[in-house]
């Protein structure tokens, strides 16, 4: 008996039936909704409750992260867009045209996160253009977080449906 065949039978290495994929999906979306434009969301609540130095800390962190995000977009945005689009298109074709389950899983992780990236870029532009601070800044960060959570809910739902379908088709019930 080959030990690697035994390991492959005991540990399922397919993406959608692997517990680690679902843990990674949950951690990814939990992290994405907690870190709003690179700022932990608890700072928004603390700034609203305490004001003063907490508010100044929030505004400073947002300013630093907004400037950083917009600088990266200005300097390398075209390259990031081109490479990201190519990678997502390659994953989509490999996954859904050629049936590579690993590519499907990566696409279902990557595509919604690219939408979050675009949403973050838009929020950063709005924050800088309107020079938001205080309650207006907190409101914008809250709406940004709600948008990320909405994208996450839809992405998790679609990924779960596709994963169940794949497990039924490829797993013991399918052909």
């Amino acid at each position: 008996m080959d030990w690697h065949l035994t390991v492959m039978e005991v540990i399922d290495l397919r993406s959608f039936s692997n517990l680690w994929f679902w843990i990674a999906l949950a951690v990814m979306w939990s992290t994405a909704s907690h870190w709003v434009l690179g700022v932990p969301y608890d700072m928004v609540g603390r700034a609203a409750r305490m004001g003063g130095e907490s508010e100044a800390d929030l505004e400073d962190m947002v300013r630093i992260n907004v400037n950083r995000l917009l600088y990266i977009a200005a300097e390398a945005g075209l390259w990031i867009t081109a490479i990201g689009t190519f990678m997502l298109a390659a994953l989509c074709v490999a996954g859904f045209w050629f049936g590579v389950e690993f590519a499907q899983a990566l696409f279902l992780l990557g595509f919604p996160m690219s939408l979050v990236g675009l949403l973050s870029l838009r929020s950063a532009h709005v924050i800088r253009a309107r020079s938001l601070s205080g309650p207006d800044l907190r409101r914008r960060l809250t709406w940004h977080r709600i948008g990320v959570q909405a994208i996450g809910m839809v992405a998790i739902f679609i990924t779960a449906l596709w994963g169940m379908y794949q497990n039924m088709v490829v797993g013991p019930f399918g052909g």
Side-chain angles (χ1 to χ4, degrees), residues 8 15-16 28 44 47 49 51 58 71 86 95 103 137 156 167-168 172-173 175:
M8 294 290 272
S15 298
F16 296 112
M28 180 183 80
V44 176
R49 282 190 317 275
L58 174 68
Y71 175 77
F86 173 77
L137 177 63
I156 290 170
N167 287 333
M168 287 191 296
F173 304 115

Side-chain angles (χ1 to χ4, degrees), residues 2-115:
D2 293 330
W3 68 271
H4 66 279
L5 293 175
T6 305
V7 170
M8 294 290 272
E9 287 177 9
V10 174
I11 302 172
D12 189 3
L13 297 176
R14 290 186 16 243
S15 298
F16 296 112
S17 61
N18 192 328
L19 179 63
W20 291 108
F21 171 77
W22 298 104
I23 291 171
L25 180 74
V27 168
M28 180 183 80
W29 284 111
S30 174
T31 303
S33 77
H34 178 68
W35 289 88
V36 180
L37 292 178
V39 177
Y41 191 73
D42 61 286
M43 286 186 75
V44 176
R46 191 175 323 120
R49 282 190 317 275
M50 300 176 140
E53 189 175 337
S54 296
E55 186 86 37
D57 290 347
L58 174 68
E59 289 175 2
D60 289 342
M61 278 195 74
V62 170
R63 180 186 48 77
I64 290 167
N65 286 319
V66 162
N67 288 340
R68 182 178 161 271
L69 184 61
L70 293 177
Y71 175 77
I72 291 170
E75 291 297 314
L78 184 61
W79 283 103
I80 292 170
T81 302
I83 292 169
T85 303
F86 173 77
M87 296 292 290
L88 287 173
L91 288 171
C92 186
V93 169
F96 298 104
W97 184 262
F98 292 111
V100 178
E101 188 173 322
F102 186 67
Q104 293 171 1
L106 288 178
F107 179 81
L108 290 171
L109 292 173
F111 179 71
M113 286 308 289
S114 69
L115 298 178

